[in-house]
Amino acid sequence: MEIGTEEYRRLEVHARRIAVQQSEAIGLAAIRLDCGCIHYCGVSFTGDPVGPLTRLSVDNAPAAICLKCRRPDDRLSHRIEDRLMIWPGRPEEWPEPELRKLIAHKVFGDNYRETAG
Ligand SMILES: [Zn+2]
């Protein structure tokens, strides 16, 4: 299942927040897992994570963490159904397309989407 428009809107808010709070953060990487949970993390110019991997809260119920995601030994990479790069701000504020491609490739490999707002 893909990350939807409403979820993208909420992730974009986090992308803007991280870009303001962490000077090295240039974008946000988000994954949707087979359980329906969405996790996100800030990403630097070099495609390295900035800050912790955070779960997008669902319906204002932050305590309801699903059992699958609670298992610490569960390997996320096998459960990813969608990979999305989010660049905060207006498109003219985003990094150049070549740099965006380099960053996203380091984070996700070739298999990812990029939402243009
Ligand atoms: Zn989950």
Side-chain angles (χ1 to χ4, degrees), residues 27-46:
L28 197 82
I31 51 174
R32 177 169 214 134
L33 303 173
D34 59 358
C35 54
C37 293
I38 294 171
H39 296 251
Y40 65 90
C41 185
V43 174
S44 76
F45 267 102
T46 50

Side-chain angles (χ1 to χ4, degrees), residues 57-68:
S57 64
V58 179
D59 300 330
N60 300 316
I65 293 172
C66 92
L67 287 175
K68 261 188 168 176

Side-chain angles (χ1 to χ4, degrees), residues 71-114:
R71 244 177 277 150
D73 58 335
D74 202 13
R75 288 193 53 199
L76 294 185
S77 58
H78 294 295
R79 304 205 285 117
I80 297 175
E81 293 194 342
D82 194 20
R83 299 165 174 82
L84 186 65
M85 282 303 303
I86 296 144
W87 310 103
R90 298 186 304 276
E92 57 267 32
E93 298 170 325
W94 297 354
E96 295 296 312
E98 275 308 303
L99 180 57
R100 299 212 305 268
K101 204 181 268 184
L102 278 173
I103 294 169
H105 188 268
K106 179 157 179 197
V107 175
F108 289 137
D110 285 325
N111 185 12
Y112 70 94
R113 295 192 298 128
E114 195 183 57

